[in-house]
Amino acid sequence: MSDEETVPSLGAWVRRRRKALDLTQAALAERVGCAVVTIRKWEKDLGRPSRETADRLATCLAIPPNERARFLQVARGERPADDGASTIASDPDGPQSSTQPPMEPLPRDRVPPPAPLPPGSRMPLRRNPLFVGRDADLRQLATALHIGTTAAIGQLEIAAATGLGGIGKTQLACEFVHCYGQFFPGGVFWLSFADPAAVPAEVAACGDTGGMQLRPEFGTLPLDEQIKLVLTAWASATPRLLIFDNCEDEALLERWRPTHGGCRVLLTSRRHHWDLALGVQTVPLDVLTRAESLALLRQFRPDVPADDADLAAIAETLGHLPLALHLAGSFLAKYRHALTPAEYRARLDAPTILDDRSLQAAGLSPTQHVQHVARTFEQSYARLDPADPTDVLAITLLAHAACFAPGEPLPRWLLLQTLDLPGDDPEGALAAEDALTRLIDLGLLDTDAAGALRLHRLLAAFARAVLVDGAVEAAVETTMVRVAKDPNKHGNPHLLLAVQPHLRFMTEAAQARADARTAALCHVLGVHLRELGVYTEAQRYLEQAVAIREQMLGTDHPDTAGSLSVLGLVLLEQGQYSQAQHYLEQALALRQQMLGRDHADTASSLNNLGWLFSEQGQYTQAQHYHEQAVAIRERVLGLDHPMTADSLNNLGCALYEQGLYAVAQDCYEQALAIWQKALGLDHPRTAHGLSNLAEVLRAQGAYAQAQHYHEQALAIRERVLGVDHPWTAVNLINLGLVFRAQGAYAQAQGFYEQALAIQQRVLGADHRHIAYNLLNLGEVLAAQGQYAQARRSYEQALVIYERVLGTDHPDTARSMRGLGEVLHAQGEVAHARQYLEQALLIFEQRLGLQHPDTEQTRQTLNALQATWTRANVGS
């Protein structure tokens, strides 16, 4: 009989257990959550804890399971059933175990400090002193285990759905054990499930010396008898924590998990999908945050500042993967005198990053796992069977996924598109889904709740090195071009926003080849960026497409003409009219020569030239080109085709600018009807038609109708494109024009300012659309007599226009005219005349003597001259 079994007082028991655990009175008080003086009183047998506090005190003192009931009786001052002198049974799961109190609730609002494990625990891993962060994961795990279910550590946010190799699943479980194991009075038992054949021996070891010590002769019993005794103990009501490390097999979990009793089971697994009957709750485990990554690296190099840019770049390059960061930190520490963080960062920029010896350290980690990043991936990849059809398809999908931007959300449908499955093959679609599930359950691919996929950048590097060849690249790039064409064709860029990072990545990766697929990628990316209004970038990619196609296909190929045409439009939108005209006319000549005059592409070139002349104020010429385009498209495409509507709309714009409002309105109404029928009510083209129709109504004084149509267009664009889209901002500006026309300047100003806020967020500071809005804002401010604010608005517009379009562009001249008018109103006549004369010169040279802008500026200048003359004569 032990001394503790006959302890007559609470004080003696507390003193002996506290000293056995090497705790001070202050440390024990912190664990229990009471004052130090309270511990001193208990040890002097002065007072007793409450029932709840007694339970917590028993846990904090790690009272053995078979002694806990007796301790609680003494702590509460209750009379033992045998008057205090009985011997405690040697079987921890004998009759007294039935009186075992329920497990104390696990703290879920905080992570408790590490503490010794209860006696009888089997935990081969010491706590890792380099462990950082993960508080939220630990608390979430505590929540899952508290309710008595099985919890699996995994991850839903990066490469593998339930835990990419090297992400720290075992490290998290180890930290959980050392922080929360103290709350499981029956002990903690760590079992490796990496080798299914070794699991029986792992289970049996839990009952022997170094574990529960179920019987003195336990080690001499047959293995089956040992396992039976352990499973019987696990089935008792005593709260215990079981860790099944590297458990990937559902049958293995079903075989060894307790079916009832007080045990909680914690898995570490790469597997994401579990049979619902098993009751597994997946706890997502992500890569480290940026702050956690830097904290881990600085544990190896504390001499490096916390805000060091090179350490941050190293963490980003390694994708914040804990294993890679641990190896990198070890390397930086080992070679601190020979290698700076900047030099190590340069090493990691190599395409063969996984070949760097810093990521291939020999030996085992504190968790007894291989410290070699590539090998952790190989362990998962090796489980794909080349003889299994599902695994073969999984290998193909992994290779395809490696061609997309690593670490970026990858739409599931986009990856499946690369298989080019027939649309009428439902079984093929199911087989593809099975293959994806296989990759996710091996930790080779990650998924989120919405089904989007993600491939970690280091795993992508592994897959590219092992699987990607020219045929794989061709399949993926061809799919990307095909996917991008339809939204580009219909002018609906928001449909491509989700895949834009992948389109950019693929296009940049293809630059070194400069082949036909490179040109196709540059072309579709350029078209997409043009639709978004990102003209400078669009121009760069389209120039590359033209150069490659002219070299590979020749100057008389339809694809070359296509890239020339879009490049011309991008230059047009930047106000580079002469260069734009050169490319657009070249494209038209090529198309007429190759395709004939009655071809849809020829009509597109005519349409583009019509737009060019409209932009330059040459509306009669613009009308001529648009009329030709309408005629061709009606013959070739039909009266109800969306592209026929495009030409009708553009013809309406040329007529509108000439003041032919009734005819322009007819064109707009025809175009709108076609778009609504062909594309639907919720399409950007439909919104465009409503907006143009509203403008011609505004010009005719039908303000109520104009406002109604603009509000419809705004609602569509907010739904389809979003509240922060450039075209949404255009609609707000148009609504402002309606209110300004009615003299409601304050309301107009509100719309302009709302649009300006959107534009500055999404377009940047130097976009011509912002300058246009600043011009409108200047007008309404001046109309309200707010000349100082109007002046600032015009000056900002002028700076943007001069920087983006040049000093002799008509839009630049318009901002000069507005600035001149405000200066005139402020009495700065000489300064005003300077701007107005400069604006008039630009209009005369660029738009001609008869253009409305030229005439308006001339009249303004004449009025200023007359005012100046009267003022001087009067003086």
Side-chain angles (χ1 to χ4, degrees):
M1 184 181 302
S2 69
D3 290 340
E4 283 191 2
E5 288 166 354
T6 57
V7 168
S9 72
L10 171 65
W13 208 328
V14 171
R15 283 194 305 274
R16 293 191 185 192
R17 290 301 303 167
R18 177 174 63 77
K19 291 177 181 179
L21 295 173
D22 195 24
L23 294 174
T24 64
Q25 289 179 333
L28 179 58
E30 181 180 357
R31 287 192 183 188
V32 176
C34 64
V36 178
V37 68
T38 302
I39 300 296
R40 291 174 185 159
K41 287 182 177 179
W42 290 340
E43 291 192 356
K44 293 179 181 179
D45 289 315
L46 299 174
R48 296 186 182 278
S50 66
R51 177 178 294 270
E52 180 182 350
T53 304
D55 286 343
R56 187 160 61 249
L57 179 62
T59 299
C60 294
L61 290 172
I63 303 298
N66 57 337
E67 300 174 8
R68 184 172 179 121
R70 176 67 175 273
F71 172 82
L72 292 174
Q73 286 177 324
V74 172
R76 297 166 186 163
E78 298 172 359
R79 180 180 178 84
D82 59 359
D83 204 23
S86 63
T87 300
I88 294 177
S90 62
D91 184 355
D93 295 293
Q96 291 193 37
S97 65
S98 63
T99 65
Q100 177 68 47
M103 183 178 75
E104 182 180 355
L106 299 182
R108 285 169 282 171
D109 58 341
R110 60 182 176 84
V111 177
L117 299 179
S121 295
R122 180 177 184 263
M123 178 58 186
L125 304 180
R126 289 179 296 177
R127 181 173 181 263
N128 181 4
L130 299 176
F131 187 88
V132 297
R134 304 289 200 197
D135 276 17
D137 297 310
L138 290 166
R139 293 197 306 272
Q140 187 177 356
L141 194 57
T143 298
L145 288 173
H146 174 76
I147 61 177
T149 57
T150 302
I153 296 180
Q155 104 185 44
L156 296 172
E157 301 302 327
I158 65 163
T162 56
L164 167 68
I167 202 169
K169 300 180 295 296
T170 299
Q171 288 282 7
L172 179 65
C174 181
E175 184 72 5
F176 184 86
V177 164
H178 287 289
C179 292
Y180 287 90
Q182 58 187 295
F183 296 98
F184 294 86
V188 176
F189 302 91
W190 186 284
L191 300 90
S192 172
F193 272 49
D195 180 4
V199 174
E202 290 278 306
V203 173
C206 295
D208 204 352
T209 304
M212 292 182 285
Q213 303 182 53
L214 295 178
R215 291 187 182 178
E217 74 283 9
F218 185 89
T220 65
L221 298 174
L223 181 63
D224 288 349
E225 186 64 24
Q226 292 177 0
I227 292 172
K228 182 178 179 181
L229 288 170
V230 171
L231 295 181
T232 299
W234 284 355
S236 75
T238 303
R240 294 184 173 93
L241 176 62
L242 313 181
I243 299 92
F244 294 173
D245 189 32
N246 285 327
C247 180
E248 308 293 343
D249 186 84
E250 290 181 327
L252 205 61
L253 174 60
E254 176 66 17
R255 166 69 181 85
W256 295 108
R257 68 170 184 147
T259 57
H260 61 276
C263 285
R264 308 293 190 272
V265 180
L266 168 59
L267 313 177
T268 69
S269 178
R270 302 185 186 196
R271 187 184 188 97
H272 173 67
H273 300 94
W274 295 88
D275 191 308
L276 293 178
L278 293 172
V280 175
Q281 290 191 51
T282 302
V283 176
L285 182 58
D286 202 347
V287 292
L288 297 180
T289 65
R290 182 180 185 275
E292 291 168 345
S293 296
L294 290 175
L296 177 55
L297 288 174
R298 290 192 70 247
Q299 291 199 57
F300 293 96
R301 289 294 302 271
D303 57 307
V304 179
D307 59 350
D308 185 74
D310 292 311
L311 279 191
I314 290 168
E316 182 65 28
T317 300
L318 298 176
H320 304 283
L321 186 69
L323 172 60
L325 291 166
H326 179 90
L327 295 175
S330 300
F331 193 80
L332 285 168
K334 182 177 181 180
Y335 297 104
R336 66 173 56 234
H337 301 300
L339 190 72
T340 66
E343 290 168 337
Y344 180 61
R345 172 186 176 183
R347 288 172 64 105
L348 296 180
D349 286 339
T352 54
I353 181 174
L354 294 180
D355 291 338
D356 194 278
R357 68 190 183 98
S358 66
L359 303 181
Q360 300 177 350
L364 296 176
S365 70
T367 55
Q368 300 178 8
H369 290 189
V370 175
Q371 290 189 285
H372 191 299
V373 175
R375 285 180 190 160
T376 65
F377 302 153
E378 288 169 358
Q379 290 173 352
S380 292
Y381 178 70
R383 294 179 64 187
L384 291 170
D385 182 1
D388 183 278
T390 298
D391 284 5
V392 170
L393 190 54
I395 291 170
T396 299
L397 284 170
L398 180 60
H400 288 187
C403 295
F404 291 93
E408 294 288 341
L410 174 58
R412 206 181 196 96
W413 62 264
L414 179 58
L415 180 58
L416 294 177
Q417 284 265 330
T418 64
L419 298 177
D420 199 18
L421 297 172
D424 58 350
D425 182 16
E427 289 303 317
L430 294 178
E433 194 61 34
D434 288 340
L436 279 180
T437 300
R438 179 76 169 130
L439 290 174
I440 293 166
D441 282 344
L442 287 176
L444 292 169
L445 202 59
D446 181 30
T447 187
D448 61 19
L453 306 168
R454 198 188 301 263
L455 189 65
H456 190 273
R457 60 177 62 249
L458 295 182
L459 186 46
F462 170 81
R464 283 195 298 270
V466 173
L467 297 172
V468 175
D469 56 21
V472 169
E473 285 181 341
V476 176
E477 290 173 359
T478 301
T479 299
M480 192 77 256
V481 171
R482 185 178 70 245
V483 164
K485 278 184 175 178
D486 192 58
N488 282 345
K489 180 179 178 181
H490 292 100
N492 214 348
H494 81 285
L495 295 177
L496 274 182
L497 291 178
V499 304
Q500 189 196 103
H502 301 290
L503 178 56
R504 282 180 177 273
F505 175 82
M506 222 170 282
T507 303
E508 290 300 323
Q511 295 296 307
R513 296 197 318 265
D515 57 12
R517 292 201 313 275
T518 307
L521 288 166
C522 286
H523 179 85
V524 295
L525 178 55
V527 173
H528 172 61
L529 292 171
R530 180 219 159 204
E531 290 287 343
L532 291 174
V534 188
Y535 300 127
T536 304
E537 278 193 273
Q539 179 180 339
R540 177 167 66 88
Y541 286 112
L542 289 164
E543 286 173 343
Q544 290 177 313
V546 168
I548 295 171
R549 284 175 165 173
E550 284 183 339
Q551 182 177 1
M552 296 195 64
L553 306 176
T555 56
D556 57 350
H557 191 278
D559 288 346
T560 305
S563 291
L564 284 167
S565 182
V566 185
L567 177 57
L569 291 176
V570 169
L571 292 167
L572 160 63
E573 284 155 330
Q574 297 177 86
Q576 301 176 39
Y577 297 134
S578 59
Q579 286 180 276
Q581 186 169 343
H582 169 72
Y583 286 120
L584 294 176
E585 288 178 343
Q586 190 178 347
L588 175 61
L590 286 172
R591 284 170 166 171
Q592 287 177 332
Q593 177 186 343
M594 293 179 295
L595 306 173
R597 294 185 176 274
D598 257 14
H599 192 279
D601 288 349
T602 303
S604 293
S605 281
L606 291 165
N607 181 75
N608 295 341
L609 278 164
W611 185 15
L612 170 72
F613 286 112
S614 277
E615 283 287 298
Q616 298 178 88
Q618 301 174 40
Y619 303 121
T620 304
Q621 287 173 277
Q623 179 182 342
H624 172 68
Y625 279 107
H626 286 312
E627 286 172 342
Q628 290 184 70
V630 169
I632 294 171
R633 283 175 166 171
E634 285 182 341
R635 284 195 300 271
V636 175
L637 302 176
L639 298 175
D640 291 336
H641 195 280
M643 295 184 75
T644 303
D646 290 351
S647 285
L648 282 166
N649 176 78
N650 293 339
L651 175 58
C653 291
L655 295 166
Y656 168 85
E657 294 294 347
Q658 297 174 75
L660 303 171
Y661 298 136
V663 190
Q665 181 175 339
D666 182 60
C667 289
Y668 288 150
E669 288 173 342
Q670 289 183 62
L672 176 60
I674 295 170
W675 282 330
Q676 287 177 326
K677 181 178 179 181
L679 304 176
L681 299 179
D682 265 8
H683 192 278
R685 281 283 196 273
T686 302
H688 191 61
L690 287 165
S691 187
N692 283 344
L693 180 56
E695 280 300 285
V696 77
L697 289 167
R698 177 181 65 85
Q700 298 174 82
Y703 300 126
Q705 285 180 279
Q707 180 178 338
H708 172 69
Y709 285 125
H710 275 317
E711 287 172 346
Q712 282 187 279
L714 177 62
I716 293 171
R717 281 172 167 159
E718 286 183 335
R719 280 197 304 271
V720 177
L721 302 178
V723 294
D724 264 5
H725 194 277
W727 279 111
T728 304
V730 167
N731 247 123
L732 291 167
I733 294 170
N734 289 340
L735 272 168
L737 294 175
V738 172
F739 282 92
R740 186 185 70 181
Q742 299 174 81
Y745 299 125
Q747 291 93 322
Q749 180 181 339
F751 283 113
Y752 295 152
E753 289 173 344
Q754 189 179 347
L756 185 61
I758 295 171
Q759 291 173 322
Q760 289 174 334
R761 281 197 298 272
V762 301
L763 297 178
D766 278 354
H767 200 284
R768 62 182 298 195
H769 292 176
I770 291 179
Y772 170 71
N773 194 12
L774 287 167
L775 284 180
N776 288 315
L777 185 56
E779 289 182 12
V780 297
L781 289 168
Q784 297 174 84
Q786 301 175 36
Y787 298 122
Q789 291 174 271
R791 179 175 180 173
R792 283 196 299 272
S793 190
Y794 282 129
E795 286 172 341
Q796 290 174 38
L798 178 59
V799 169
I800 295 172
Y801 276 139
E802 286 185 332
R803 196 153 46 213
V804 176
L805 302 179
T807 57
D808 62 345
H809 191 277
D811 285 342
T812 305
R814 292 183 181 101
S815 59
M816 290 176 177
R817 182 178 63 204
L819 186 54
E821 291 171 346
V822 169
L823 290 168
H824 182 201
Q826 291 182 301
E828 299 183 36
V829 178
H831 203 184
R833 177 188 293 171
Q834 179 184 349
Y835 279 112
L836 290 170
E837 288 175 345
Q838 194 174 350
L840 180 61
L841 180 62
I842 295 170
F843 285 137
E844 288 177 342
Q845 290 177 344
R846 297 295 298 272
L847 303 180
L849 299 176
Q850 307 304 317
H851 193 275
D853 277 315
T854 307
E855 182 60 28
Q856 180 184 342
T857 307
R858 188 181 295 116
Q859 291 175 3
T860 302
L861 188 58
N862 289 340
L864 180 146
Q865 180 66 35
T867 302
W868 182 84
T869 301
R870 285 194 299 271
N872 281 288
V873 170
S875 63

